[in-house]
Amino acid sequence: MSANWLFQVKKGLVICVFTGGIWTGALAEKAGSAPVSDSCAVQQNAEAKRSVMENRIGQDYGKFLARHDMVWERAPRYWGDAPFLGNGTLGLMIFQSGGQSLQMDIGRADYYGHRDPSGGWLNYSRMPIGHFTLETVAPVQSFKGRLDLWNAEFTGVVVTAQGTVKLRALVHSQRMVMIVDLETSGSENNCRIVWHPDEAVPPNRSIAIRKLAQTPRPAGKEAAYRFYEIWAAAKYDPNPPFGLGKADGIDFCKQPLLEGGGTTTAWCEDRIGDGRRRFYVSIAHTYPQDISQTEAVETVNAVRGIAPEELIKSHRQWWHEYYPASFISLPDAYWEGFYWIQMYKLGSATRPDGPLIDVIGPWYQETTWPLVWFNLNVQLTYWCVADANRLDMGESLIGRFERNRDTLIANMPENFGGECAGLSTTTAQDLKSKWTIEKSGDFPWAMHNCWMLMRRSMDEKRMKEQFFPLLKMTINTYYKILPEEGSDGKQHLPKTFSPEIGYAEDANYNLALFRWGCRTLVDLCQRFNIEDPMLPKWKTTLERLVDFPADETGFMIGKDFPLTIGHRHFSHLLMIYPLYLVNVEQPGGRELIEKSLRHWIGLQGGAAWPNNYTWTGASSMASALGDGNLALEYLNKIKKNGTKLTCTTMQDYGQPAIEAPLAAAQSIHDMLLQSWGDKIRIFPAVPDVWRDVCFHDLRAEGAFLVSASRKDGKTQWVRVKSLAGEPCRVKTDMTEPVLAAAGSALKPIGDGVYELILKKGEEAVLVPGNCKDTAVIVAAVELAAGVTNCFGLK
């Protein structure tokens, strides 16, 4: 855990064990009682410490996560079944591609083309690198493997008629290198690793040429083939061919780019004993400098010079510090395991200073979506980092916006006068793109992700100096396209695009984001006493912006555009979630949300309806209603056959995508903790079947770390720690809770809401008023016997 602590409540006395000592204090008699003044006195009482620590929580993350390691009892046959490893930039997948070979697919998340984005997708696409095969002497007879989440390592055993191959693979968490250890027996001592290079050709073009060469064309694919024809016919000067070579004893394959720079894969194999080998791979991408070969070769040689035990130690150190940022335990083995695999996936897919997570992350596979996608994918991918108290992992998003502010301004039309910032739906890592009016909402939505991080960090300097001016330029975009005020005295938006369904005046997608942006800017001005010249305009918009178009079925796509077909995207419902502009605490809010959600989910048809992110969005909206049973019902939909969720929690649409499973992790957060508006809601939407739940150090708006435990359907205790000294209101279902910690006061507000007075650095523990003998312990929930390791191939 991030802090080593344990509370025990026994006959009205609270004992809390820290690494530095013990404090004790009497429980306040009832809500609203003043804190006991001397209850923080530290007592160095080793005997008391030992007696309490007998009931300490299971802080052995390795043991806990082992119950969710992915296990293979047969060989994975493609990327969707494959164990995956990554360090935020490099990615590795391992699967059986033929009777006598295992394929090791490799990728680098920032390997994009760097040509002018106005020339189309091909110019700034992700690029293939190549792959290795481990070729056995005889056909594979059996395969067993395990992905160790705690250590981020894969181990496996391949058996053939001629011997065995044991392997251990990792992508080093802190160095740009992949390491595969082999231990062979029998004739399999002669197995070999072979490199298969790819040309640097955008995958859209490769797919298009291959598809157009096939006859006859499949029925119902006319729209796809129109794209293939465009991609195949588009002007694209090829990159120079790859070159193979050897430098300083290291093999390499260099892929130069026409526009400068390039990518080099370097590798070597060391014999380290009888039947034992170690294989190193590094991939370097440099632009505009042409130094990738030097960088990749030097990386491999540098790592070869480090003792293996030191490499393993430093690799594991990052992961062992990463996981304990927060903790969740559920009585459902599937969803508990699913959640922790998403935390592993997140740690594999990004780093604070690493590439922005795109549609496929560091695990390159041929795809027609080889880009960063901002009309949903990025937003859903990054949702879970805030509540999971992994704010640093969001730096690859917000930090990239801050570093590329000039690019975001340059993306806008010249007549916008440098006063606006934005991007198109698709970009590369450099964020260069050509903004158009129909894509007005994509960047404001991404800025809401940044606001989620800002609200949970409460870094006031950054909020004022970085976030505020960038949000201002983002929202200025709407004023550049805002027509004259209508005859109804309202501000209206012109035709803009509502993702994945069509164009509409007063599109709810953009109305919601425009309103959220103005409200946030006004709030920031009030907080920091900013007299911005745009402040009157923002206030006017909040007063006069047209209401969200709605009909008898709920929210429409926009003016004169009812929702009549299945629509997998919830672009028209952002005001419900994640913006909470329409919520259950408003008059008529619940009825409108229920009606809109029921109508949206009840429709059939439409392109690719439903998608798994349809269900994760619906689940979070049900949680916003406080309906945990419905939230779980929707979330369970992605477990069904045919939903394209793979056995490793990847997403397979015939090509990979990453966003929906990570969004499901946020759906779980929304059941356990919500902090929109002015209060923190503890267990706001826990389904009835989740009788026992425990979480620790989830992060709420206002920079609060929140922990809580529920047993037999009742909340046992809640702990709130303030990191910024913000106002704190907590909503709980506990009966007349009392304080079990010092330095705070508790004031009932009504309807289960209590105000806590907490200074920065202070914390409070609430327990039920009738509490007599309750251990306030963070602990893993017991799972049904034998129900573990739900993912992998069995």
Side-chain angles (χ1 to χ4, degrees):
M1 297 296 170
S2 58
N4 192 7
W5 61 274
L6 169 68
F7 290 102
Q8 191 173 53
V9 180
K10 209 162 185 67
K11 296 182 180 178
L13 185 68
V14 185
I15 301 175
C16 176
V17 175
F18 292 88
T19 53
I22 301 174
W23 63 258
T24 63
L27 289 175
E29 288 298 321
K30 52 187 171 182
S33 297
V36 179
S37 60
D38 63 350
S39 60
C40 275
V42 175
Q43 304 173 16
Q44 297 297 335
N45 186 328
E47 185 60 34
K49 182 173 181 178
R50 279 196 297 271
S51 67
V52 174
M53 293 299 282
E54 289 176 359
N55 296 318
R56 64 186 299 179
I57 62 174
Q59 293 187 32
D60 184 348
Y61 259 88
K63 182 178 179 181
F64 171 74
L65 289 175
R67 69 191 198 180
H68 302 304
D69 288 348
M70 289 185 276
V71 175
W72 284 260
E73 295 177 355
R74 53 190 173 94
R77 295 304 179 100
Y78 86 120
W79 63 264
D81 290 343
F84 57 91
L85 303 140
N87 67 1
T89 299
L90 304 183
L92 171 65
M93 287 181 159
I94 301 172
F95 54 92
Q96 186 177 356
S97 58
Q100 292 181 226
S101 67
L102 294 182
Q103 185 161 318
M104 294 185 286
D105 278 6
I106 60 174
R108 179 159 175 137
D110 58 355
Y111 182 22
Y112 278 74
H114 297 275
R115 305 185 191 187
D116 183 356
S118 63
W121 289 4
L122 300 181
N123 278 7
Y124 56 98
S125 165
R126 280 283 291 270
M127 293 288 192
I129 296 173
H131 66 273
F132 292 94
T133 53
L134 169 60
E135 300 184 354
T136 55
V137 173
V140 174
Q141 293 180 333
S142 70
F143 177 100
K144 292 187 181 299
R146 187 180 191 102
L147 180 54
D148 178 344
L149 297 176
W150 175 237
N151 292 315
E153 297 168 14
F154 174 75
T155 55
V157 179
V158 174
V159 177
T160 79
Q162 299 294 320
T164 62
V165 179
K166 296 180 181 178
L167 66 152
R168 180 175 72 173
L170 61 87
V171 178
H172 199 279
S173 61
Q174 301 177 64
R175 295 178 177 272
M176 288 301 144
V177 67
M178 310 174 192
I179 303 171
V180 180
D181 284 343
L182 301 179
E183 184 177 342
T184 58
S185 69
S187 296
E188 293 303 341
N189 287 330
N190 297 315
C191 71
R192 60 193 189 120
I193 295 177
V194 180
W195 168 242
H196 304 268
D198 283 335
E199 295 286 359
V201 178
N204 304 68
R205 195 173 187 87
S206 300
I207 292 170
I209 292 171
R210 187 172 67 249
K211 292 288 188 180
L212 293 174
Q214 296 174 353
T215 55
R217 294 182 179 181
K221 298 289 184 179
E222 291 79 11
Y225 274 81
R226 282 195 293 273
F227 277 111
Y228 298 152
E229 289 165 354
I230 292 170
W231 293 331
K235 184 181 186 313
Y236 186 84
D237 295 327
N239 291 304
F242 65 78
L244 300 172
K246 204 174 187 76
D248 296 333
I250 306 299
D251 291 297
F252 69 82
C253 175
K254 182 176 180 180
Q255 296 172 302
L257 295 175
L258 187 67
E259 61 272 26
T263 296
T264 297
T265 303
W267 67 93
C268 77
E269 184 177 317
D270 291 342
R271 299 276 177 169
I272 56 176
D274 291 341
R276 296 173 59 226
R277 301 179 236 171
R278 179 161 294 128
F279 188 67
Y280 301 93
V281 183
S282 183
I283 310 167
H285 174 65
T286 60
Y287 174 84
Q289 306 92 337
D290 186 16
I291 57 173
S292 64
Q293 177 185 322
T294 300
E295 190 174 298
V297 169
E298 287 181 350
T299 298
V300 171
N301 269 328
V303 172
R304 291 173 77 195
I306 301 173
E309 58 272 16
E310 289 301 316
L311 274 176
I312 296 298
K313 181 180 178 181
S314 60
H315 166 71
R316 292 178 177 179
Q317 179 184 2
W318 187 92
W319 285 98
H320 295 176
E321 292 174 354
Y322 164 78
Y323 280 117
S326 61
F327 175 80
I328 282 178
S329 185
L330 308 172
D332 185 322
Y334 182 94
W335 287 116
E336 184 182 86
F338 185 99
Y339 177 85
W340 283 105
I341 292 171
Q342 302 324 298
M343 295 302 102
Y344 165 77
K345 188 185 298 176
L346 180 69
S348 300
T350 195
R351 288 291 189 277
D353 58 350
L356 184 64
I357 307 176
D358 62 13
V359 174
I360 57 177
W363 304 287
Y364 181 87
Q365 295 294 322
E366 192 176 65
T367 174
T368 58
W369 307 318
L371 307 157
V372 182
W373 224 279
F374 278 102
N375 65 347
L376 173 139
N377 305 75
V378 166
Q379 289 85 344
L380 270 64
T381 296
Y382 279 92
W383 269 347
C384 66
V385 305
D387 285 7
N389 194 27
R390 304 180 194 278
L391 301 188
D392 56 336
M393 305 305 280
E395 283 296 319
S396 59
L397 174 70
I398 190 171
R400 188 160 297 270
F401 289 163
E402 292 172 349
R403 293 189 298 273
N404 289 275
R405 184 185 299 183
D406 290 345
T407 298
L408 295 166
I409 295 171
N411 288 340
M412 307 305 294
E414 289 185 10
N415 62 352
F416 280 30
E419 299 173 348
C420 301
L423 42 69
S424 184
T425 296
T426 58
T427 75
Q429 293 289 327
D430 58 15
L431 303 182
K432 292 180 180 178
S433 62
K434 184 179 179 181
W435 178 91
T436 55
I437 187 172
E438 62 268 20
K439 307 300 183 183
S440 303
D442 294 352
F443 188 52
W445 190 7
M447 284 297 291
H448 180 260
N449 278 67
C450 298
W451 181 237
M452 293 171 69
L453 300 172
M454 289 290 91
R455 282 289 292 143
R456 285 160 178 80
S457 72
M458 296 310 297
D459 182 338
E460 293 200 341
K461 186 175 187 295
R462 189 176 193 182
M463 200 179 286
K464 182 178 180 180
E465 297 178 5
Q466 296 281 356
F467 179 80
F468 176 81
L470 187 53
L471 180 62
K472 175 182 174 180
M473 289 188 288
T474 304
I475 299 304
N476 273 354
T477 303
Y478 287 115
Y479 289 103
K480 295 294 184 180
I481 67 173
L482 198 66
E484 294 295 323
E485 197 170 275
S487 58
D488 57 359
K490 296 287 188 179
Q491 289 182 349
H492 295 265
L493 287 178
K495 255 186 191 180
T496 56
F497 191 69
S498 187
E500 300 206 345
I501 194 161
Y503 295 87
E505 295 180 13
D506 291 335
N508 272 327
Y509 178 65
N510 279 294
L511 286 176
L513 291 162
F514 191 14
R515 186 176 296 279
W516 164 78
C518 288
R519 177 182 291 183
T520 302
L521 289 165
V522 170
D523 289 346
L524 287 172
C525 284
Q526 292 173 347
R527 183 180 186 93
F528 298 119
N529 296 315
I530 301 172
E531 293 295 332
D532 194 282
M534 289 291 293
L535 183 57
K537 275 194 172 184
W538 300 329
K539 290 182 176 179
T540 296
T541 294
L542 292 176
E543 293 171 359
R544 299 186 185 175
L545 188 63
V546 66
D547 292 337
F548 300 120
D551 61 12
E552 67 279 1
T553 67
F555 289 118
M556 304 164 68
I557 301 301
K559 179 184 177 183
D560 301 324
F561 193 155
L563 180 63
T564 58
I565 61 170
H567 177 32
R568 65 179 184 171
H569 201 300
F570 45 93
S571 53
H572 64 302
L573 299 178
L574 294 192
M575 75 291 286
I576 300 173
Y577 186 87
L579 304 181
Y580 294 103
L581 296 174
V582 176
N583 58 69
V584 294
E585 295 183 354
Q586 299 166 337
R590 176 177 296 278
E591 293 74 15
L592 184 52
I593 294 169
E594 288 177 339
K595 181 166 56 176
S596 300
L597 178 58
R598 184 168 56 246
H599 178 67
W600 172 51
I601 290 300
L603 289 170
Q604 301 295 320
W609 189 98
N611 186 288
N612 278 346
Y613 59 66
T614 308
W615 298 122
T616 62
S619 176
S620 289
M621 290 180 208
S623 288
L625 290 167
D627 191 337
N629 292 333
L630 185 61
L632 182 59
E633 177 185 331
Y634 286 147
L635 193 59
N636 279 335
K637 297 285 187 182
I638 73 175
K639 294 167 61 175
K640 306 291 186 182
N641 291 333
T643 59
K644 304 177 181 179
L645 186 74
T646 75
C647 68
T648 63
T649 80
M650 287 293 185
Q651 191 77 35
D652 179 7
Y653 302 115
Q655 49 193 358
I658 198 173
E659 76 290 324
L662 284 164
Q666 181 59 24
S667 296
I668 291 172
H669 288 154
D670 290 328
M671 295 179 189
L672 308 184
L673 180 74
Q674 296 174 26
S675 57
W676 50 271
D678 64 350
K679 58 183 71 72
I680 301 169
R681 299 158 182 83
I682 314 295
F683 297 129
V686 178
D688 292 342
V689 294
W690 289 4
R691 305 290 289 170
D692 297 350
V693 180
C694 187
F695 68 82
H696 176 52
D697 275 0
L698 295 186
R699 189 178 277 245
E701 289 190 13
F704 296 98
L705 295 182
V706 185
S707 308
S709 180
R710 192 172 179 86
K711 190 170 182 62
D712 198 24
K714 295 181 180 180
T715 301
Q716 301 295 297
W717 54 267
V718 172
R719 175 250 196 180
V720 181
K721 181 175 183 177
S722 174
L723 303 182
E726 289 289 295
C728 182
R729 289 186 172 186
V730 173
K731 184 176 176 66
T732 176
D733 61 356
M734 281 193 291
T735 303
E736 296 184 350
V738 295
L739 276 172
S744 60
L746 185 65
K747 177 183 177 182
I749 304 298
D751 193 28
V753 180
Y754 299 85
E755 185 174 71
L756 280 168
I757 309 300
L758 290 171
K759 296 178 182 179
K760 181 178 179 178
E762 290 183 340
E763 63 183 53
V765 177
L766 280 64
V767 295
N770 58 1
C771 171
K772 295 187 182 300
D773 190 358
T774 301
V776 185
I777 304 171
V778 175
V781 172
E782 289 188 16
L783 300 176
V787 185
T788 58
N789 307 104
C790 298
F791 297 91
L793 278 174
K794 298 184 179 180

